[in-house]
Amino acid sequence: MRYGRTVPVTAEVELPQAPEGARAVFGEFFPEAVRYAELLADAGVKRGLIGPREVPRLWERHLLNCAVLSEVVPEGVTVCDVGSGAGLPGIPLALVRRDLKITLLEPLLRRTNFLQEVVELLGLDHVTVVRGRAEEVLGTLQPVHVVTARAVAPLDRLAGWGVPLLRPYGEMLALKGDTAEEEISGARAALSKLGVVDTEVLHVGEGVVEPMSTVVRVVVGESPGGVRFAAKRAKAARVSRTRRRR
């Protein structure tokens, strides 16, 4: 059985109705998930946030693929979704996990405008939209327990942006593809310099998405980002305090 209405996007592309499993995943917030899918298929395409070819597979490849990340996010933590784009994985995660406090971090204005509209329309009071790059908010954004990301960059570069935003002993959860193990192998030296103490590949969404979503979990020790980023974070915090006094 499918749920929701079919939304025309162009003469050739339509948003399919939600698969049966979507109602179980999103629970009481299933109507909000349907609305978000409709926004992606309409405004998201028109504003260039997603390609029209992604519309027929929005549910399986995007919304559900991201929502199942919730299986490995601890309860009641702070989350920063780096390079949030159209809100993936941050918005689906926010819909299924009201216990989280989520920041959607995105540098492009047209994307942050869309994200803010989505947050307000869906009533996501536990979500904040911040415009900026990870390296720009270092020291001004409160360190978080979890950083999430999807299709942003290769693991070594992604870790360079996301790991310094973590609290000590926090973790980065990156949705990746079939090359996850290879990316970890190629990034080991860079991850070590960033204070990473453990990495693993997880598979989530059994019975919901096929294939299951692949997640690279990167755990940091007491110095997220290593010594160099600890100094940058401290300097940025001092600058921020000075500005607030003025």
Side-chain angles (χ1 to χ4, degrees):
M1 184 180 295
R2 298 259 166 174
Y3 301 90
R5 57 194 177 93
T6 300
V7 177
V9 179
T10 69
E12 296 81 21
V13 184
E14 287 187 344
L15 171 67
Q17 293 180 338
E20 185 175 1
R23 185 177 289 275
V25 171
F26 290 102
E28 63 179 300
F29 299 104
F30 171 71
E32 285 82 359
V34 172
R35 185 69 184 117
Y36 177 50
E38 292 171 352
L39 289 167
L40 286 174
D42 187 6
V45 172
K46 291 175 181 176
R47 299 188 196 182
L49 276 68
I50 66 166
R53 292 184 179 180
E54 295 303 309
V55 173
R57 50 186 184 177
L58 264 179
W59 282 103
E60 286 82 358
R61 184 179 175 86
H62 298 287
L63 273 75
L64 290 172
N65 179 272
C66 291
V68 296
L69 182 63
S70 65
E71 295 177 15
V72 290
V73 178
E75 287 188 22
V77 299
T78 52
V79 178
C80 181
D81 189 31
V82 172
S84 194
L88 301 165
I91 296 293
L93 182 62
L95 287 170
V96 298
R97 294 289 300 276
R98 296 285 170 141
D99 60 300
L100 304 175
K101 185 176 181 181
I102 300 176
T103 298
L104 306 179
L105 182 62
E106 168 57 45
L108 295 184
L109 180 60
R110 63 186 171 88
R111 293 176 179 172
T112 53
N113 285 343
F114 175 79
L115 292 174
Q116 191 60 52
E117 291 167 15
V118 170
V119 166
E120 293 175 3
L121 185 64
L122 302 185
L124 301 177
D125 298 334
H126 58 309
V127 178
T128 302
V129 178
V130 174
R131 185 185 175 196
R133 300 182 185 278
E135 56 269 32
E136 295 170 347
V137 301
L138 187 65
T140 59
L141 188 70
Q142 279 291 108
V144 296
H145 298 91
V146 176
V147 163
T148 59
R150 177 180 187 251
V152 174
L155 185 60
D156 53 351
R157 274 195 287 149
L158 176 59
W161 300 330
V163 166
L165 300 177
L166 291 169
R167 295 169 49 134
Y169 310 105
E171 59 189 71
M172 183 176 75
L173 300 171
L175 282 160
K176 288 288 183 179
D178 296 336
T179 61
E181 295 281 3
E182 295 174 24
E183 285 200 49
I184 290 176
S185 297
R188 287 200 188 280
L191 294 176
S192 179
K193 290 179 181 179
L194 289 168
V196 172
V197 297
D198 190 28
T199 58
E200 63 178 324
V201 175
L202 308 171
H203 298 283
V204 295
E206 184 175 5
V208 178
V209 289
E210 181 60 42
M212 290 192 291
S213 300
T214 300
V215 180
V216 172
R217 181 172 180 257
V218 173
V219 182
V220 299
E222 62 182 14
S223 184
V227 176
R228 181 167 66 92
F229 280 99
K232 287 183 67 175
R233 195 160 39 235
K235 180 180 179 180
R238 287 196 300 272
V239 171
S240 178
R241 286 196 297 269
T242 300
R243 288 174 177 169
R244 286 198 297 268
R245 293 194 200 103
R246 291 175 181 173

